[in-house]
Amino acid sequence: MNRLDLLLVNAPSRSIVYGKLSNLSAIEPPVWAGLIARYCLNKGFSVEILDAEAEELTIEQTAQRIVDAVPRLAAFCIYGHQPSASTQCLSVASAVARLVNGHSMPSDARHVPTLALGTHPSALSQRTLVEEPFDHVCQGEGPKTVDELLFCLATGADPMRRV
């Protein structure tokens, strides 16, 4: 069985963001996950989307599904349809990534590298790398960055040296 290249994750943040009103809020379709998935599929990578929001998964269940999938890269799509949604959703994506990191060490063959995509990680990339548990942060548009990072992870190339 071939290893999954990319797992795009829509973390289960609705209940945290909306609290008691979460049962009145809509589940947003993971538009950016779909766009990045199509781009990477066109580049020949294997891709799946884990929409934990739509599947009504908990933070723990989401992390376990990521660990069980053992993707080459788990990319957290931290977006929303209103301007501050990325910042509001970041805490839940970070909680999931912390659990994923807790299951393995970088030297472990089952280690799952994580990437944060979204308005907040892009605008505050250095701060996100320092304060949050992600291995990588995407600054700017995601598809090309994800493609390049997947190439580096697959070949062992240094992502800092790729142009």
Side-chain angles (χ1 to χ4, degrees):
M1 184 165 115
N2 291 332
R3 183 173 185 184
L4 175 65
D5 291 313
L6 176 63
L7 180 61
L8 292 152
V9 180
N10 184 30
S13 56
R14 190 168 56 120
S15 64
I16 302 298
V17 172
Y18 294 106
K20 293 178 182 178
L21 298 175
S22 64
N23 62 333
L24 301 174
S25 66
I27 296 175
E28 296 179 24
V31 174
W32 276 101
L35 293 169
I36 293 168
R38 175 48 49 203
Y39 182 86
C40 290
L41 284 167
N42 287 347
K43 294 289 186 171
F45 293 107
S46 58
V47 181
E48 291 181 11
I49 296 174
L50 173 56
D51 190 352
E53 198 76 90
E55 292 188 42
E56 298 182 344
L57 300 176
T58 65
I59 290 170
E60 294 79 11
Q61 290 169 328
T62 304
Q64 191 60 56
R65 292 271 297 273
I66 294 166
V67 169
D68 290 346
V70 196
R72 194 174 309 279
L73 177 65
F76 289 78
C77 297
I78 310 168
Y79 292 97
H81 294 301
Q82 48 100 349
S84 63
S86 181
T87 299
Q88 293 168 340
C89 297
L90 180 64
S91 65
V92 176
S94 292
V96 172
R98 271 188 205 88
L99 289 175
V100 169
N101 291 344
H103 285 289
S104 65
M105 298 301 294
S107 61
D108 185 349
R110 291 184 50 90
H111 175 68
V112 178
T114 55
L115 169 70
L117 296 155
T119 310
H120 182 105
S122 182
L124 299 169
S125 57
Q126 289 300 318
R127 184 172 173 177
T128 302
L129 275 175
V130 169
E131 296 177 356
E132 305 300 335
F134 302 101
D135 298 306
H136 307 279
V137 172
C138 177
Q139 194 172 32
E141 296 297 327
K144 187 64 177 163
T145 300
V146 173
D147 170 28
E148 290 291 320
L149 184 53
L150 282 171
F151 173 82
C152 290
L153 291 170
T155 64
D158 182 355
M160 299 305 289
R161 299 202 183 271
R162 293 277 299 176
V163 178

